[in-house]
Amino acid sequence: MTDRAVARGAGLRTVVAIFLGVSVLVFGGVWLGDATDRASVVNKAPKTAAAQKSGAGQESQVVLEGSNARELPGVRDCGMGEPVREPTIITLDCNTSGRVASGIRWEAYTSDGADGNGVVQVSSGVAGAAAGKSFPARLRLFQPREVDGAVAFTALEVRYVGATPAGESREVLPIA
């Protein structure tokens, strides 16, 4: 007769290895399953000035008052890039992207200033990722200046209609 070890139950190392393997598979599956949710958040996120420029085929709702379109100032998103005329989105809090004016419709857009309506979206997550609240607002661009060789508005006044995010009904922000 040969001396063989009697078959034992699974050792502690084997149990831990199986547990870790199953955990990795489960968490990996959850992470991959959420990938479509992350993609949809990115698609719904406010676009930058470059993305707004690519939407040039959209119909303009702006009344130009006696000025050439080449002379009209634009808005530099967070003070960077080329100025965008008639932006539909303006980032208000460039440090965190937690406040964004979106859905902007300009009623008047001249070389001296612009007036329009939009919604200020305030998100609670990092880089504007978590859903937040929306506040209707009147927007006014003013103080056109030459910035890096192009004319851009350098100030934005936000007047909230109804509820406000921080209790202030009006705020003036530098946007150059």
Side-chain angles (χ1 to χ4, degrees):
M1 195 174 220
T2 62
D3 289 333
R4 279 194 186 187
V6 178
R8 299 182 286 168
L12 182 59
R13 286 185 189 172
T14 306
V15 171
V16 170
I18 291 172
F19 177 75
L20 288 175
V22 170
S23 297
V24 167
L25 292 174
V26 168
F27 288 123
V30 169
W31 184 77
L32 288 174
D34 288 343
T36 57
D37 292 340
R38 286 191 296 275
S40 66
V41 168
V42 170
N43 289 338
K44 292 177 186 176
K47 306 294 186 267
T48 63
Q52 290 183 38
K53 273 187 176 180
S54 68
Q58 298 174 350
E59 183 178 326
S60 175
Q61 300 175 356
V62 175
V63 177
L64 301 177
E65 297 177 9
S67 69
N68 185 351
R70 292 184 153 249
E71 298 172 2
L72 290 176
V75 174
R76 293 170 27 129
D77 196 39
C78 292
M80 296 184 293
E82 291 292 317
V84 175
R85 292 182 185 95
E86 307 170 28
T88 57
I89 296 169
I90 301 173
T91 304
L92 304 180
D93 186 358
C94 295
N95 293 332
T96 64
S97 299
R99 290 187 312 146
V100 176
S102 64
I104 302 171
R105 293 185 179 205
W106 299 105
E107 296 170 354
Y109 200 98
T110 68
S111 59
D112 294 327
D115 293 303
N117 294 307
V119 175
V120 174
Q121 298 174 345
V122 179
S123 64
S124 57
V126 176
K133 295 186 178 185
S134 298
F135 302 92
R138 296 269 311 145
L139 305 167
R140 182 174 71 95
L141 294 169
F142 59 103
Q143 292 181 352
R145 304 274 187 268
E146 186 170 326
V147 180
D148 295 336
V151 180
F153 289 112
T154 60
L156 171 68
E157 177 185 33
V158 179
R159 288 189 181 268
Y160 295 99
V161 179
T164 65
E168 297 292 327
S169 63
R170 175 184 174 267
E171 60 183 326
V172 177
L173 305 164
I175 58 171

